[in-house]
Amino acid sequence: MHMSRSRFRWAAVLAGMAAIAQAAPAQAAGPAGSYRLTVAPDHGPSTVRSLFCDPDGGTLDAASRACDQLRSVDGEVGRIPARTGACTLEYAPVRVGAHGRWHGAPRHFERTYPNRCAAARDTGGILFGE
């Protein structure tokens, strides 16, 4: 009888280890996309936010909307369609950046715009949580 209890314990241990091994790759994979977003005006402090997709989250407002935009362009910020609308001709340069990974591939975007409105319009608002 002692042998059957021992076998039962080992079977339970092995079953538990198998369950952990199957779950580990899914946990290790992490989010489909992970970005560090920066907005740096010529004068004033920079804003840095994080964005994660699948599951959607991070410190960026409207993370789900931003992730939807990224999903439509394979994670490339530069390919997000610009929004329509006019901006003023105010010259207050702002440098924006999005650096991270999308399904394991590196993604980098950095550009300087004449003002915040132009930056938000041309990037679909993704860097501003709009």
Side-chain angles (χ1 to χ4, degrees):
M1 185 177 278
H2 187 271
M3 287 292 267
S4 63
R5 283 185 187 166
S6 178
R7 285 184 190 166
F8 177 76
R9 286 183 187 144
W10 276 109
V13 167
L14 292 174
M17 290 172 62
I20 291 170
Q22 287 176 348
Q27 292 174 352
S34 174
Y35 290 85
R36 181 174 189 253
L37 308 172
T38 59
V39 177
D42 248 6
H43 301 290
S46 295
T47 303
V48 178
R49 294 187 176 101
S50 62
L51 174 64
F52 305 100
C53 298
D54 298 325
D56 301 350
T59 60
L60 181 72
D61 294 336
S64 291
R65 183 177 175 280
C67 288
D68 288 345
Q69 289 176 299
L70 287 168
R71 282 188 274 273
S72 72
V73 294
D74 196 29
E76 294 187 32
V77 173
R79 292 182 44 213
I80 294 173
R83 296 189 300 194
T84 58
C87 291
T88 64
L89 297 177
E90 170 191 21
Y91 185 72
V94 61
R95 185 161 190 77
V96 297
H99 302 281
R101 301 188 82 67
W102 186 260
H103 292 283
R107 295 289 191 255
H108 301 284
F109 175 83
E110 200 159 319
R111 193 164 294 154
T112 300
Y113 292 92
N115 57 49
R116 186 182 191 285
C117 176
R121 181 193 60 207
D122 291 354
T123 60
I126 188 173
L127 300 168
F128 301 92
E130 298 175 354

